[in-house]
Amino acid sequence: MSVGLSKVPADGSGSVSAAESERSKFRKHFGRFDILFFLLCTIVSVDTIGTVASSGAEAFTWLIVLAIVFFVPSALLIAELGTAFAEEGGPYIWTSRAFGRLAGAVNNFLYWVTNPVWLGGTLSVSAVTAFTTFFNNGKDLSTPAFYVFTLLFVWVGVLAAILSFDIGKWIPTAGAWSRFVLLGLFTLTVVIYGIKHGLHGFGFGDFSPTYAGFVGLVPVLMFNYVGFELPNTAGDEMTDAQKDVPYGIFRAAGLSVLLYGLPILGILLVLPVKAVTGLGGFIDAIRQVFTVYGGSVAADGTVTLSGAGTILGGLAAVMFILTVLSSGVTWIMGSDRALAVSGYDGAAPRSLGVISERFGTPVRVNLLSGLVSTGVLILAHQLTSGNTGKLFGAVLGLAVSTTLVSYLGIFPALPVLRRKYPQADRVYRAPAAWPITIVLTLLILFATVQLLAPGAFYDWFGADFRPDGWTQGERVKYLLTEAVPLAVFILMGVVFWALGAPTRARAKAAAAAGAAGS
């Protein structure tokens, strides 16, 4: 048995009544293969494949390097945390018990808020782009049609998160299989396309890593490579966490590298780098290679599908939309649970820490996520005047920065919890815990700084580091657009902690009464 961290108050107060009341509503539906499929939907996000591929052949090199120095070590670290401390709330519980509820509250707010922002921005725009590319001849939807499509996308995801886990988990399951089919079919079609039309060649030197490439790629690659901890946000709903968490993590790690590497290499083989965009890169590559089933590519690069190419292209678009939807659903399911746990643990408003008796899910937080997603979608669409490319880039940058910062609390928790709770039953023990923690934390710090000030420590905002659409004279403006929202989110975490004070006070009073009675 693990030590039961959710029952160990961060301030030593001793009361567990609120936690026990809410935890009793959870239902154990989360088995071994559910965890594996959940992780695949968590980690393999097809919306960022084009962004990575747009950096050229060296993107593949950095993909492999980061898999070795970041992805695998983080899998080892989370495998121990997820089995030794398997309570509901996962990363919130680890961070708050290692560093206190204030740190846990701030860290957990960042961990949570990323996901409704991501769902309402990046993912919904990716889905609508796939729809217009294959079903609307590449023409943008009218504003009313855009909102109908994207809001339906967002609220279907929220509904899936609200449903009891024995029903809602089928979205991640379907999403995992859609990844296998979509990415497998794309890879096979690239081979057929290459045999028929030839491929864009690149020399061995094109794979050579550069510092500028590292600065541009490391944040988004890390964003792709995080999420091993997410199933542990539903720790009390797992049937056997100590056996199933390592099984899911290590198998998902190998499959994820493969599912990222093959399509990125396929895009580079099919499209010239200058034609690859962050939003449409993967979708455009799918459309082009599917001409082998019916269709043509004009001299100016215009792609037209026909016959079987149209049918298979439509099928690919549906699988793409299901894939990005399942990514959003899994992260909403997990991060909403973590926020609910912090609510009944005294690190967020108690009103958010309520688990539905009917569904066994944090419905109030689910609805809050839906409202935030809707607000982000409408606000970003208005600020970018409906330019989906700008909307995609702006929201992706914000999602990446808030996500990565939250791991500054998660990764260092391992050695601290080893020291504070040596009695925990560690069925799996990560090797070299301190070196792994230091390397992972330094990489996260570096990536965060580069997101705020690209080229920092070397050539801040120089020609090799300048984000698309920005000039060197706008360096400070760019810094503020990234730093101000991050600072606001950190402040909101502090506010949530302050609003949790009554819950903490009641816990102390109950503990004092219990001590007096004994």
Side-chain angles (χ1 to χ4, degrees):
M1 296 283 295
S2 65
V3 72
L5 281 185
S6 59
K7 298 182 180 181
V8 182
D11 55 10
S13 59
S15 175
V16 296
S17 58
E20 287 182 341
S21 173
E22 300 300 336
R23 292 177 71 195
S24 66
K25 303 172 187 176
F26 291 122
R27 306 164 188 173
K28 291 189 178 295
H29 294 299
F30 210 12
R32 172 170 294 190
F33 288 101
D34 299 324
I35 293 173
L36 174 59
F37 294 147
F38 197 87
L39 278 170
L40 288 174
C41 290
T42 298
I43 297 170
V44 183
S45 303
V46 296
D47 60 303
T48 57
I49 286 177
T51 301
V52 176
S54 65
S55 295
E58 74 168 304
F60 189 80
T61 302
W62 285 121
L63 179 83
I64 301 304
V65 171
L66 266 295
I68 296 170
V69 302
F70 181 82
F71 195 46
V72 172
S74 66
L76 297 174
L77 185 150
I78 298 299
E80 176 175 336
L81 286 172
T83 52
F85 312 110
E87 287 74 26
E88 193 86 7
Y92 163 72
I93 292 295
W94 307 335
T95 304
S96 64
R97 298 320 184 242
F99 307 112
R101 279 196 181 90
L102 176 57
V106 172
N107 202 75
N108 200 46
F109 186 86
L110 290 170
Y111 189 80
W112 166 75
V113 77
T114 296
N115 298 296
V117 168
W118 187 45
L119 178 66
T122 307
L123 296 182
S124 62
V125 171
S126 296
V128 79
T129 300
F131 178 83
T132 56
T133 298
F134 288 95
F135 298 114
N136 202 44
N137 296 319
K139 299 176 182 178
D140 291 339
L141 297 176
S142 65
T143 298
F146 173 86
Y147 281 128
V148 168
F149 183 96
T150 51
L151 290 175
L152 182 63
F153 177 88
V154 166
W155 285 96
V156 165
V158 172
L159 176 62
I162 288 175
L163 295 174
S164 62
F165 202 80
D166 60 332
I167 298 174
K169 70 181 181 181
W170 289 106
I171 293 288
T173 300
W177 283 107
S178 72
R179 282 162 172 77
F180 291 135
V181 176
L182 174 63
L183 299 177
L185 179 60
F186 173 74
T187 303
L188 175 63
T189 308
V190 166
V191 174
I192 299 172
Y193 185 91
I195 294 172
K196 187 174 181 179
H197 299 291
L199 299 170
H200 285 280
F202 36 74
F204 185 77
D206 294 326
F207 288 91
S208 298
T210 64
Y211 181 71
F214 179 67
V215 168
L217 284 165
V218 67
V220 71
L221 285 175
M222 287 186 185
F223 180 71
N224 288 344
Y225 277 162
V226 295
F228 284 124
E229 76 294 333
L230 197 68
N232 275 99
T233 58
D236 288 344
E237 297 164 79
M238 293 180 180
T239 55
D240 192 344
Q242 293 195 329
K243 291 182 179 179
D244 295 342
V245 167
Y247 176 92
I249 285 177
F250 295 132
R251 282 159 179 78
L255 287 170
S256 297
V257 173
L258 189 66
L259 291 173
Y260 271 130
L262 290 177
I264 288 173
L265 189 60
I267 293 172
L268 295 172
L269 289 169
V270 172
L271 297 177
V273 172
K274 63 181 180 181
V276 181
T277 65
L279 174 58
F282 185 39
I283 296 169
D284 292 340
I286 293 173
R287 195 165 187 236
Q288 181 162 326
V289 299
F290 274 38
T291 57
V292 300
Y293 305 117
S296 61
V297 181
D300 62 357
T302 301
V303 178
T304 303
L305 293 176
S306 61
T310 301
I311 296 172
L312 289 174
L315 177 61
V318 170
M319 288 189 291
F320 183 94
I321 294 169
L322 178 57
T323 297
V324 294
L325 176 64
S326 64
S327 291
V329 169
T330 53
W331 277 99
I332 290 291
M333 282 180 170
S335 62
D336 283 5
R337 280 167 166 78
L339 185 61
V341 170
S342 69
Y344 63 64
D345 191 57
R350 179 67 180 90
S351 59
L352 295 178
V354 176
I355 305 303
S356 167
E357 288 274 10
R358 179 180 177 184
F359 298 111
T361 57
V363 173
R364 293 182 182 181
V365 183
N366 297 149
L367 293 175
L368 177 62
S369 289
L371 293 174
V372 172
S373 292
T374 300
V376 167
L377 172 64
I378 295 173
L379 179 62
H381 189 263
Q382 294 301 315
L383 291 177
T384 58
S385 301
N387 185 316
T388 54
K390 286 184 179 179
L391 194 159
F392 177 87
V395 178
L396 180 61
L398 181 60
V400 171
S401 62
T402 52
T403 297
L404 294 185
V405 171
S406 70
Y407 286 86
L408 294 176
I410 296 172
F411 288 147
L414 175 62
V416 175
L417 292 176
R418 276 190 179 183
R419 177 180 56 81
K420 293 181 73 172
Y421 303 104
Q423 74 275 26
D425 182 14
R426 292 171 171 82
V427 295
Y428 172 81
R429 192 177 182 90
W434 271 111
I436 285 178
T437 299
I438 291 171
V439 169
L440 293 176
T441 304
L442 288 177
L443 283 171
I444 291 291
L445 279 171
F446 178 83
T448 302
V449 170
Q450 296 303 327
L451 281 168
L452 298 175
F457 312 124
Y458 181 73
D459 185 16
W460 181 36
F461 234 136
D464 291 335
F465 305 96
R466 192 177 309 142
D468 292 340
W470 294 83
T471 65
Q472 190 173 29
E474 296 177 306
R475 291 187 304 171
V476 175
K477 181 179 179 181
Y478 178 87
L479 175 63
L480 292 175
T481 62
E482 295 292 326
V484 170
L486 185 60
V488 170
F489 289 156
I490 291 172
L491 179 61
M492 285 300 300
V494 176
V495 171
F496 268 40
W497 170 80
L499 294 175
T503 304
R504 299 194 299 274
R506 285 193 293 270
K508 284 187 176 182
S518 61

